[in-house]
Amino acid sequence: MSNSVLLPILIPLIGAIICLFFRGSLKVQRIVSGAVATAMPFVAFALLLTVREHGVMVLRSGAWPGPFGIVFALDQFGAIMLVLSGIVQAAAWWFLAAGALDRERETFLLHPLFLFLCTGVNWAFSTGDLFNLFVSFEIILLASYALISHGNERTQIRESLKYVILNLVASTLFLVAAGFTYGMFGSLNLAELAVRFAQLGYPPETRVLGTLFLFVFGMKAALYPMFYWLPDAYPKAPRGISAYFAGILTKVGVYCLYRVFTLLFRDEGAFASWFQPIILAIGGLTMIVGVMGALSQFSFRRILSFHIISQIGYMIFGLGIFTPLAIAAGIFYIIHHIIVKAALFLVGDAVEVNEGSQSLRKVAGLVKLSPALSVFFLLAAFSLAGIPPLSGFYGKYGLAVEGYVEGHAFYVAVSLLTSLFTIASMAKIWRYSFWGERPEGAAKKLSNTGVVAATGGLVAVSVVVALASAWIMGVSTDAANQLLDRTEYVDAVLGTRGVEALQLAMKEPVE
Amino acid sequence: MLFLLFLLLPFAGALLSLVLPRERLPLSMPRWLALGFTGACLLLLAWMTFGMAERPAVFASWMPQVGLNFSIWLDGPALFFAWLVVGIAFLIFHYSGHYMDPNDSPWRFYATMLFFMGSMVGVVVSKNALLMFMFWELTSISSFILIGHWHEKASARAGALRALIVTASGGLCLLAGLAALVWMAKSAGLDPAMVLEWDQLWANREVYLAHPAAGVALVLLLLGAFTKSAQFPFQFWLPGAMEAPTPVSAFLHAATMVKAGIYLLGRLYPMYSDAGMWLWLVGGTGVITMCIGGFMAMCARDIKQLLAHSTVSQLGLLTAYYGFGAHRVGGEHLLPLDLLLVLSHALFKGALFMLCGVIDHGCHTRDWTRLGGLRRTMPRTFVLMAIGCASMAGVPLTFGFVAKELFLKASLSLHAESALLTWGLPALAIFASLFTVAYCLRIVVSPFFGAPRDPEIHPHEGGIGLLAAPAIMIALCLAAGLYVPILEKPLAALTNAEFYGTHSHFTVAFFHGADKLLAIAVFLFAVGAGVFLAGGRILKAYENAGSPMIFRSAYEALFDRAIPAFAAWLARTTQVASLSTNLMRTLLAAFGLVIAAMISSGFALPNIDFEHIPLVGVALSLLMTACLWLVATHRIALVRLIAMAPIGLFVTLLFLIFKAPDLALTQILVEVAMLIVLLLLLFHLPQRLMPPPRPFGRFGKSMRLILSVTGGLLMAVLSHAGFASTFKNIPTFQGEPTVSEYYIQNSKHARYETAAEAEAAGYPAFAPYHHSGGGNNVVNVILVDFRGIDTMGEVTVLGIAGLGVLCLFTLKRKHVRTPEQKAAALLDVMRVNERYDEGAVVAPMPFFARRMWPSPSLIMSEMARVGPPLMLVFAVVLFLKGHGEPGGGFIAGLMASAALATVFISFRRSQIMPMHDFKYRSLLPIGLVFAVGTGLAAVLFGQPFLASVHGYVGLSALGKVELASAMVFDLGVFLVVVGTTLMIIERLGRD
């Protein structure tokens, strides 16, 4: 038993509640939110180190045993995601605190909503229960909806309405899937379901369920063909917080896909004949369609939003290959992507704060305005494009090698082609907005250097990811091995009897 | 360590240039910094070359799983290229101090140049091929930034982008090739950790040659080399890169970066020289590039462009040399002298570019058709230029002659299986060499001889600062030409002895006697001069044809037109704005996938037991369907709303029929709360909602119908399958209860004081579990205890929803002042089926009521004096009894909200002022404090979060009431529900 598993959920939740008591005071809200944002990366990192040392951490909420109460189980993958969530939250907070938004807007519930959002996300990364996961999705959806519409621009309201409706459809299907799971197999505990599925020899219902989950989490992760809600909605999020949207939110879907396909649906036959071809095809299409969409855009955030989609494809590609190295490369790619994509959104937001626009057609000559911001952009952009030795390279290359080894050379080619177009569209931003003559009457100096500094902080983290790539690859590999070898997870949640049952079932399934 | 320092110094210099406070430092500072760092690198290199007993190497494992190591070495070629890069860099930095305008962003310029130098050194000293690739990409990036140095010019931006895209594409091919090598090594059972070290690659070459995909890998690797070194058909990016400042062109695009591809060929040669494809792939590409470059050089007016095309041609020559090298000359290995060719080209081409910059500097034009007679005004430039060109053309007594002779010898000694190759390749090479002679004459003769052609040009000679660097390089060309061993000896020592086994003993003499080589040389100079004389006509013919740039046009057609057009089309079709289309697609994807999964998995449709279907249920379902039909199809908003109301009631009835009183209570109260909210919203809603557009063309309606029916059937099948499934009755662990059994047993267990008592009553306490929920109402115990944390999450969701409503209604909306504007804004928002940037102005629609608080009816307000207090009392009862009987915090909260909301809508604002002034908003956080606090209290007692305790308290009026800590939690739930509902209702009503 370890209550500390709940820290990443409770700290932002309590922070949000405190902020609600001080609704009128921006100062108090900033201090509370800042304290949470500063604490989160450290807390999460401490949890990661603990999990690495002592194995999966489990909390049985309400002290109910085994599969009957709600179990929170934090393994290495979940802990990694928590660290990332904390880092991006901290960067977003610094960006906000530097004055990215007007005071009135920032005072009005922005901080508590953001903290609620972080609560939901961290919740999703640590729960071990299917319905509880649904609850966290609800928190995320409502908080993100409120944030996307926060500010009440007409376009915000309209796009957020689409966002919330489409995502509610996905949530409804999630609920259906969870209900079906319980009705069918009598459990919602992920570890117990893993054992049960194996005991029952993966009946056809598991394939239907898996497909339903592939759809639900795929929609949340903005996979092809369910990605259309993202590029219109994400650019509407408040400046600064948009980094959290871009970095973390869709990755909750990816995280869940990794989770259910490594833990639950491990029927090798069904995987090879059904899930793998679908996941690979979806991954490939997601990569290409996303990057193509990006090529056709003319604003920082919209370009970047489409790139989120295309890079989700890479992560799914890793899942589709389904070898330890591929999953490890996928996790590495997730780590890199979250940091870098958030950093790029911050660059775009910093440009908007200083120039009043994110349109490539209106902003030009930023190299002259701020060399620092230019260097930050270059580092993040080329990292996103997978240029070595920046952080985007290692995952990409690992996936290429594993793709070949497992005989998916076609998708390797697709991934590399995507990478080329990513370079092209990053170069396009550079060409239009950083190069060229400054528009007439444009400012000679940055009006807000604080936001640039916050951006630089996150870019620095991405450089650290590159410098520490050997260690991070090691952590990813350990996390991947833990995902694929389910015994540690099952053992932590259900005890040795669970592991024995699982191992027995994998040997001779009960008909 | 010194080696590492040598590699890192340039990067450190670049970083320093970025972070130094540039406003406070002189503009000459960055150049001195660059010179200083480069000088330090040169000293280190000299020490490593001459002062150390052993050649240094560094090794550190990085990602052994995929063959990546940080391993650098200084074998012969690495040492040679390192000297080449750092030496030329030093000269270039000296030159650019005199060439560049001191105000022209010197910090950025020198930082990028240093960065490039570091990357290039990295490329050549990497022992690991993947590490080399890393630096390789960095050179592409720095080249991109340097070409675009004068980014205000559109042509510079375009040229930079083109260069980047071409080299990056090649880079990705190279990466694909390297990944393929790892794959081949893995499938051959090799440990991937070391396979990408160059010496390992050579040692294991049979593995890579024998693999079925060997050809593909080779082509991929070669594509990397060819794009970098501007080989056919990628040669077009190099002339476009000439938009860069001249020092950049001389450094990157003549002397060093474009040699990276050549360097790679040298590294791949030992692996693949035995492959059949090598000769025609590498040699063929080389000679074709030679021809194209040579011809295009004759078609250029700009001397810099001419030099760029000539660079392409010379790079072709180097490539071809490696191609031919596959075929040994009479047992004598010519290839070891490859470095000699590289050095020769780097020296004269770097110098020529710099001299071209001197002409640009002195005449402010580089168009040779406008220049003439510079011999007199720029004599020193002329002499240097002439020697440089002589070397390029291969005139005896220059270093270029030695290189040319080697090349010709290699090409004449070809013995391929196919006669076409044996004769064709040398023939093409000789043909291309004609152009070399011709354009060398062009550079020397046209601008320097004759009379000045343009009176507006006032040429002046460049100073010693501009001429020093090219003079040194030209002097080397001449010295090595006059006495070959000066450079040949050290070069021979640097060749890859490990691989070639023996050193070459090819000695160069100026005159071998009257042999084939001499004949060819004479032929070349004679006919080349003829081509030069015909040069004017070639240029004219080319320009009359419209100066076609076939390869560049093809590139532009692909990357600037076809792909963006395709991308825009794809984005338009996949990313439509219409919500209904998106919904249709979502459902299609979901249902399609699930149905496909059912079919492919052999999912058995459940048998439906028609006899036991309750008729009431069927009837209710039909009624609900009818209402839904109205909701989906009717045009008037009010009708839709009215049609929605009964659905909730029918669901409530269903719950009652199936004996779920808690659910029924919740459902009906939710309906009530919803009704009040909707009533308030009605004030804001226009009468008619826009009819949805038809997705899928005119099949829209039927398509939607099909989709709905499919979806409904699917849900029916799934839920029935779940209902009928027997899996859930098999416990996971034998002897343990299923989840539902456990819930029933353990919530009731609390009735009995001890485990024994419970067992006697038929509720055995399972050995490991002696904990209980302490409530009779299993639903409530599940909500607040078994799955309490779910509830905590859900009340948070509720609270967030309320906060979201507050945001939507409170934050200042621009442009929205009058009711008409409000209506327009609302309609605009509702047009979710269109793209937002096409938002048009919408005429205001009639409102049900403009005033938010209509005068309430008398009946209503009289009723509201009695009803709500009773409801509130009932809410308290529901709350207190909830743990044992139907009820609980959530239901009680809804009941209380309904009571208070009734008050709100029944009285005038002035009548209930205190109610309006009450801070409902603070109920929400207080409620959350209770809910979360209960959980935390358990933590304080060392228990898991939300662990509960309970006991009994006698309350005389209500009988024995059980108090569990879960009730505090339930109180939190209650407060959140009341707070949120009232917050929303009060806010909606206030506007």
Side-chain angles (χ1 to χ4, degrees):
Chain A
M1 179 214 76
S2 173
N3 277 308
S4 49
V5 176
L6 289 183
L7 282 177
I9 301 171
L10 290 176
I11 294 175
L13 181 60
I14 292 170
I17 296 172
I18 296 175
C19 284
L20 284 181
F21 281 112
F22 295 95
R23 287 196 28 216
S25 164
L26 178 57
K27 202 169 154 197
V28 175
Q29 290 191 39
R30 267 192 190 167
I31 290 172
V32 171
S33 170
V36 173
T38 316
M40 283 316 296
F42 296 102
V43 169
F45 201 73
L47 283 175
L48 173 63
L49 293 181
T50 317
V51 171
R52 277 176 65 76
E53 197 165 328
H54 302 294
V56 179
M57 288 170 86
V58 162
L59 171 73
R60 305 172 202 286
S61 74
W64 295 105
F68 304 117
I70 291 173
V71 175
F72 284 77
L74 190 65
D75 66 351
Q76 291 195 35
F77 184 37
I80 290 172
M81 299 303 285
L82 285 178
V83 172
L84 296 168
S85 161
I87 290 173
V88 178
Q89 184 192 350
W93 179 81
W94 280 104
F95 196 91
L96 274 178
L101 294 170
D102 62 80
R103 279 187 78 85
E104 187 202 12
R105 198 174 155 194
E106 195 188 333
T107 313
F108 200 86
L109 291 175
L110 192 79
H111 283 286
L113 284 173
F114 181 39
L115 289 171
F116 277 129
L117 181 65
C118 301
T119 309
V121 168
N122 294 348
W123 194 312
F125 292 149
S126 37
T127 186
D129 185 278
L130 202 53
F131 184 78
N132 200 247
L133 184 64
F134 170 77
V135 173
S136 70
F137 270 56
E138 293 290 282
I139 298 177
I140 295 169
L141 177 59
L142 261 292
S144 61
Y145 169 55
L147 283 169
I148 291 178
S149 62
H150 195 273
N152 275 329
E153 297 292 332
R154 277 190 199 183
T155 57
Q156 272 190 318
I157 295 177
R158 186 192 297 166
E159 296 312 322
S160 62
L161 192 60
K162 288 185 201 170
Y163 168 81
V164 76
I165 290 177
L166 287 169
N167 275 284
L168 275 176
V169 170
S171 289
T172 312
L173 285 167
F174 187 2
L175 195 58
V176 168
F180 182 48
T181 311
Y182 182 74
M184 202 85 195
F185 299 98
S187 181
L188 288 167
N189 181 288
L190 292 175
E192 196 192 9
L193 283 174
V195 177
R196 287 190 75 91
F197 286 180
Q199 280 179 335
L200 297 166
Y202 299 100
E205 288 82 353
T206 56
R207 185 184 298 198
V208 178
L209 261 185
T211 312
L212 209 50
F213 281 121
L214 179 61
F215 171 82
V216 169
F217 297 136
M219 177 118 183
K220 298 281 176 190
L223 291 185
Y224 181 89
M226 297 87 78
F227 64 88
Y228 28 67
W229 55 269
L230 189 146
D232 285 328
Y234 275 23
K236 304 283 174 257
R239 289 194 282 268
I241 293 178
S242 65
Y244 196 79
F245 274 73
I248 301 287
L249 278 201
T250 46
K251 263 52 76 185
V252 178
V254 176
Y255 165 86
C256 292
L257 285 172
Y258 269 63
R259 175 68 67 207
V260 296
F261 280 99
T262 52
L263 187 58
L264 301 184
F265 306 106
R266 288 293 289 275
D267 181 8
E268 277 165 24
F271 190 79
S273 71
W274 174 252
F275 290 120
Q276 189 171 40
I278 293 184
I279 292 177
L280 286 174
I282 286 181
L285 280 164
T286 309
M287 285 187 228
I288 276 296
V289 174
V291 84
M292 282 292 170
L295 276 183
S296 65
Q297 303 300 318
F298 269 90
S299 123
F300 268 80
R301 278 191 180 181
R302 284 182 68 85
I303 291 178
L304 295 173
S305 295
F306 273 102
H307 277 303
I308 297 177
I309 297 163
S310 105
Q311 282 140 8
I312 299 282
Y314 274 91
M315 303 167 194
I316 296 308
F317 181 38
L319 181 64
I321 301 174
F322 214 77
T323 61
L325 184 52
I327 301 264
I331 293 175
F332 192 104
Y333 197 87
I334 292 174
I335 297 172
H336 136 78
H337 167 94
I338 287 177
I339 304 282
V340 164
K341 183 45 67 74
L344 278 172
F345 262 72
L346 287 189
V347 172
D349 288 350
V351 169
E352 193 177 69
V353 169
N354 283 292
E355 298 277 289
S357 172
Q358 295 209 0
S359 167
L360 298 193
R361 294 199 171 96
K362 289 183 189 147
V363 179
L366 290 173
V367 171
K368 291 254 169 66
L369 178 74
S370 169
L373 190 62
S374 314
V375 172
F376 295 157
F377 174 78
L378 270 188
L379 283 172
F382 284 122
S383 178
L384 190 78
I387 300 280
L390 296 166
S391 58
F393 169 71
Y394 309 96
K396 178 175 95 172
Y397 171 70
L399 287 178
V401 171
E402 269 314 270
Y404 276 130
V405 172
E406 295 295 309
H408 308 301
F410 172 73
Y411 292 108
V412 172
V414 170
S415 78
L416 293 180
L417 197 63
T418 305
S419 180
L420 173 65
F421 290 134
T422 311
I423 297 177
S425 79
M426 289 300 117
K428 174 176 161 181
I429 297 183
W430 180 260
R431 173 189 181 180
Y432 278 93
S433 285
F434 285 87
W435 275 347
E437 301 264 13
R438 295 284 292 148
E440 267 180 52
K444 290 263 183 329
K445 288 226 154 149
L446 285 171
S447 56
N448 187 337
T449 48
V451 291
V452 177
T455 311
L458 201 51
V459 172
V461 176
S462 89
V463 173
V464 170
V465 172
L467 290 177
S469 53
W471 184 74
I472 292 178
M473 195 64 187
V475 174
S476 310
T477 311
D478 292 345
N481 287 332
Q482 200 176 43
L483 281 179
L484 286 171
D485 172 41
R486 305 174 280 173
T487 48
E488 208 184 318
Y489 189 94
V490 171
D491 183 32
V493 177
L494 296 176
T496 40
R497 70 194 207 283
V499 179
E500 281 159 14
L502 181 67
Q503 280 165 349
L504 185 73
M506 292 308 281
K507 271 187 218 127
E508 38 182 323
V510 181
E511 283 305 317
Chain B
M1 268 335 279
L2 277 184
F3 192 16
L4 209 55
L5 184 68
F6 166 69
L7 179 61
L8 292 180
L9 260 185
F11 296 110
L15 193 64
L16 195 62
S17 310
L18 283 176
V19 297
L20 281 181
R22 47 185 76 178
E23 288 84 5
R24 269 175 268 153
L25 291 169
L27 284 170
S28 58
M29 183 75 181
R31 172 167 172 261
W32 288 114
L33 216 67
L35 275 173
F37 273 90
T38 318
C41 281
L42 272 178
L43 288 178
L44 279 176
L45 192 56
W47 172 252
M48 288 190 291
T49 317
F50 305 110
M52 288 171 103
E54 254 181 69
R55 297 259 177 83
V58 178
F59 180 89
S61 181
W62 193 342
M63 283 188 195
Q65 313 90 313
V66 287
L68 175 60
N69 296 307
F70 185 86
S71 62
I72 50 177
W73 64 350
L74 267 184
D75 72 332
L79 196 62
F80 164 76
F81 274 100
W83 272 104
L84 185 77
V85 172
V86 183
I88 291 184
F90 193 80
L91 294 177
I92 294 279
F93 288 147
H94 177 264
Y95 172 83
S96 52
H98 301 273
Y99 180 85
M100 300 291 286
D101 180 350
N103 285 314
D104 188 7
S105 315
W107 292 96
R108 169 156 49 95
F109 181 75
Y110 286 102
T112 328
M113 287 290 257
L114 273 176
F115 184 80
F116 166 75
M117 185 183 100
S119 321
M120 196 61 211
V121 169
V123 167
V124 296
V125 301
S126 297
K127 191 182 179 192
N128 185 289
L130 200 60
L131 187 67
M132 180 210 74
F133 171 77
M134 294 188 155
F135 289 111
W136 177 282
E137 294 288 80
L138 291 185
T139 62
S140 295
I141 301 292
S142 34
S143 153
F144 168 66
I145 295 170
L146 285 169
I147 297 171
H149 184 72
W150 290 323
H151 55 81
E152 286 86 357
K153 285 199 297 184
S155 56
R157 295 199 293 267
L161 200 63
R162 215 160 36 229
L164 177 71
I165 296 293
V166 174
T167 47
S169 316
L172 288 168
C173 291
L174 179 54
L175 180 66
L178 292 174
L181 292 184
V182 178
W183 160 46
M184 293 172 182
K186 269 187 159 185
S187 40
L190 295 174
D191 175 20
M194 295 301 287
V195 291
L196 283 182
E197 308 294 300
W198 285 124
D199 51 356
Q200 290 298 309
L201 283 172
W202 301 331
N204 296 323
R205 61 176 168 278
E206 282 80 20
V207 170
Y208 306 113
L209 283 176
H211 197 278
V216 181
L218 174 58
V219 169
L220 285 171
L221 294 168
L222 287 181
L223 279 174
F226 289 169
T227 47
K228 198 77 168 179
S229 288
Q231 295 300 296
F232 167 82
F234 310 108
Q235 76 287 355
F236 60 90
W237 72 262
L238 190 55
M242 293 302 133
E243 296 292 342
T246 295
V248 174
S249 309
F251 188 27
L252 274 72
H253 306 120
T256 57
M257 189 187 86
V258 288
K259 300 279 193 314
I262 305 297
Y263 164 82
L264 179 60
L265 287 179
R267 291 297 195 195
L268 292 178
Y269 178 81
M271 278 177 78
Y272 282 109
S273 58
D274 294 336
M277 306 161 79
W278 182 268
L279 171 65
W280 62 265
L281 258 180
V282 181
T285 308
V287 292
I288 293 174
T289 313
M290 280 177 81
C291 292
I292 294 178
F295 174 75
M296 289 301 289
M298 294 307 292
C299 302
R301 284 170 177 265
D302 180 350
I303 300 177
K304 200 174 172 190
Q305 285 292 321
L306 191 159
L307 282 173
H309 288 297
S310 90
T311 307
V312 169
S313 158
Q314 306 279 323
L315 290 170
L317 180 143
L318 293 172
T319 305
Y321 185 69
Y322 279 100
F324 299 163
H327 295 261
R328 290 148 176 84
V329 185
E332 195 176 19
H333 223 305
L334 274 183
L335 201 64
L337 287 169
D338 54 347
L339 301 181
L340 194 147
L341 269 80
V342 173
L343 179 62
S344 153
H345 179 249
L347 285 179
F348 67 68
K349 194 46 71 68
L352 286 177
F353 265 106
M354 285 195 259
L355 292 170
C356 167
V358 177
I359 294 180
D360 196 8
H361 213 262
C363 309
H364 301 289
T365 182
R366 298 180 312 227
D367 185 343
W368 62 261
T369 55
R370 291 175 62 205
L371 294 171
L374 293 185
R375 184 175 84 249
R376 268 168 247 117
T377 41
M378 305 177 77
R380 281 172 289 222
T381 311
F382 166 64
V383 172
L384 293 174
M385 202 81 159
I387 303 175
C389 284
S391 186
M392 178 153 74
V395 174
L397 301 184
T398 62
F399 197 30
F401 169 76
V402 184
K404 196 79 173 201
E405 194 185 348
L406 268 174
F407 174 72
L408 286 176
K409 195 160 183 213
S411 60
L412 290 177
S413 330
L414 268 185
H415 288 292
E417 286 88 44
S418 131
L420 191 68
L421 289 182
T422 311
W423 295 105
L425 292 181
L428 274 177
I430 290 169
F431 172 68
S433 299
L434 290 176
F435 289 118
T436 313
V437 174
Y439 62 67
C440 286
L441 285 170
R442 160 81 72 230
I443 299 171
V444 178
V445 175
S446 302
F448 288 100
F449 287 89
R453 300 179 209 201
D454 193 332
E456 284 176 25
I457 295 173
H458 306 289
H460 61 88
E461 178 63 297
I464 183 72
L466 275 176
L467 289 174
I472 291 174
M473 291 162 86
I474 293 292
L476 272 176
C477 272
L478 202 59
L482 290 171
Y483 183 65
V484 180
I486 290 184
L487 291 177
E488 197 212 337
K489 275 265 164 65
L491 283 182
L494 289 179
T495 50
N496 201 342
E498 190 190 341
F499 174 70
Y500 296 113
T502 53
H503 287 172
S504 162
H505 299 293
F506 180 81
T507 47
V508 182
F510 294 121
F511 191 67
H512 287 281
D515 60 357
K516 243 195 306 191
L517 276 182
L518 184 69
I520 291 174
V522 171
F523 166 79
L524 278 180
F525 284 112
V527 183
V531 175
F532 163 65
L533 293 177
R537 251 167 270 165
I538 297 178
L539 178 64
K540 202 162 273 169
Y542 178 74
E543 287 182 346
N544 284 344
S547 308
M549 287 180 283
I550 302 165
F551 298 96
R552 192 170 138 182
S553 307
Y555 165 87
E556 282 170 350
L558 182 64
F559 277 95
D560 296 348
R561 284 190 291 278
I563 291 177
F566 174 67
W569 170 81
L570 201 64
R572 259 201 320 278
T573 45
T574 55
Q575 183 60 32
V576 295
S578 158
L579 177 63
S580 51
T581 309
N582 284 335
L583 269 177
M584 295 273 280
R585 287 181 180 179
T586 307
L587 294 177
L588 262 181
F591 298 158
L593 268 174
V594 173
I595 291 173
M598 283 177 166
I599 294 170
S600 79
S601 67
F603 181 86
L605 290 179
N607 293 319
I608 298 176
D609 184 4
F610 286 101
E611 281 177 31
H612 289 91
I613 291 181
L615 283 178
V616 198
V618 176
L620 283 174
S621 305
L622 287 175
L623 280 169
M624 276 193 271
T625 315
C627 294
L628 273 173
W629 182 261
L630 267 181
V631 174
T633 54
H634 209 283
R635 283 183 151 223
I636 298 174
L638 191 61
V639 178
R640 294 192 201 180
L641 287 178
I642 292 171
M644 258 159 73
I647 297 176
L649 293 178
F650 295 143
V651 173
T652 311
L653 277 176
L654 271 182
F655 283 145
L656 277 177
I657 292 166
F658 291 109
K659 303 190 185 70
D662 280 271
L663 295 187
L665 250 176
T666 313
Q667 181 70 35
I668 189 117
L669 286 168
V670 166
E671 288 299 320
V672 171
M674 279 295 292
L675 181 71
I676 296 170
V677 171
L678 282 176
L679 278 175
L680 291 171
L681 272 178
L682 273 183
F683 297 130
H684 300 260
L685 281 179
Q687 190 169 18
R688 281 169 184 277
L689 295 182
M690 304 291 274
R694 287 181 288 181
F696 299 103
R698 59 205 170 84
F699 300 108
K701 209 166 189 175
S702 43
M703 189 78 190
R704 267 178 273 173
L705 193 64
I706 293 170
L707 208 58
S708 315
V709 172
T710 316
L713 285 176
L714 203 59
M715 290 306 122
V717 167
L718 286 185
S719 46
H720 195 81
F723 177 70
S725 162
T726 52
F727 295 143
K728 59 174 170 282
N729 303 325
I730 313 168
T732 311
F733 307 110
Q734 284 212 328
E736 293 186 18
T738 63
V739 172
S740 53
E741 283 166 3
Y742 182 85
Y743 285 167
I744 294 169
Q745 285 156 1
N746 284 279
S747 52
K748 289 188 177 177
H749 171 71
R751 278 185 166 176
Y752 311 98
E753 303 294 324
T754 62
E757 203 180 319
E759 208 160 335
Y763 294 108
F766 292 92
Y769 320 127
H770 24 240
H771 181 79
S772 83
N776 249 342
N777 179 355
V778 184
V779 174
N780 186 262
V781 178
I782 290 176
L783 280 181
V784 300
D785 203 333
F786 290 121
R787 300 189 65 93
I789 209 156
D790 274 348
T791 312
M792 191 180 103
E794 287 295 358
V795 294
T796 312
V797 172
L798 188 65
I800 299 171
L803 297 175
V805 172
L806 271 195
C807 289
L808 281 175
F809 277 83
T810 311
L811 266 185
K812 194 164 50 184
R813 268 170 288 175
K814 289 162 195 160
H815 324 296
V816 181
R817 297 277 181 276
T818 66
E820 283 77 17
Q821 283 174 335
K822 203 177 282 174
L826 200 72
L827 272 176
D828 191 39
V829 168
M830 285 180 169
R831 285 150 56 110
V832 286
N833 289 328
E834 281 149 58
R835 206 164 260 304
Y836 63 81
D837 44 10
E838 294 163 6
V841 183
V842 184
M845 285 291 196
F847 271 63
F848 284 104
R850 291 266 162 74
R851 277 182 306 129
M852 291 305 129
W853 290 106
S855 40
S857 82
L858 190 65
I859 303 174
M860 196 67 189
S861 57
E862 286 310 306
M863 288 284 285
R865 283 175 206 279
V866 191
L870 281 177
M871 286 159 81
L872 279 176
V873 172
F874 188 45
V876 173
V877 175
L878 276 177
F879 177 79
L880 290 177
K881 298 294 275 186
H883 221 44
E885 313 289 335
F890 195 82
I891 295 175
L894 282 172
M895 180 62 93
S897 320
L900 294 169
T902 317
V903 178
F904 264 105
I905 56 170
S906 311
F907 294 97
R908 283 174 196 284
R909 192 187 174 93
S910 56
Q911 290 173 298
I912 47 165
M913 219 43 198
M915 280 194 69
H916 277 277
D917 290 345
F918 186 73
K919 298 268 176 266
Y920 300 100
R921 293 168 187 184
S922 50
L923 285 183
L924 164 62
I926 292 174
L928 286 176
V929 166
F930 275 107
V932 179
T934 317
L936 286 175
V939 176
L940 285 183
F941 287 103
Q943 292 290 314
F945 190 78
L946 267 182
S948 65
V949 288
H950 53 84
Y952 297 95
V953 174
L955 283 182
S956 52
L958 298 163
K960 194 166 133 185
V961 169
E962 187 193 342
L963 278 185
S965 68
M967 287 187 76
V968 184
F969 180 82
D970 222 11
L971 179 65
V973 174
F974 174 84
L975 287 174
V976 173
V977 172
V978 175
T980 308
T981 322
L982 289 182
M983 185 165 81
I984 295 173
I985 288 173
E986 193 260 350
R987 189 67 201 80
L988 289 183
R990 185 144 53 92
D991 204 355

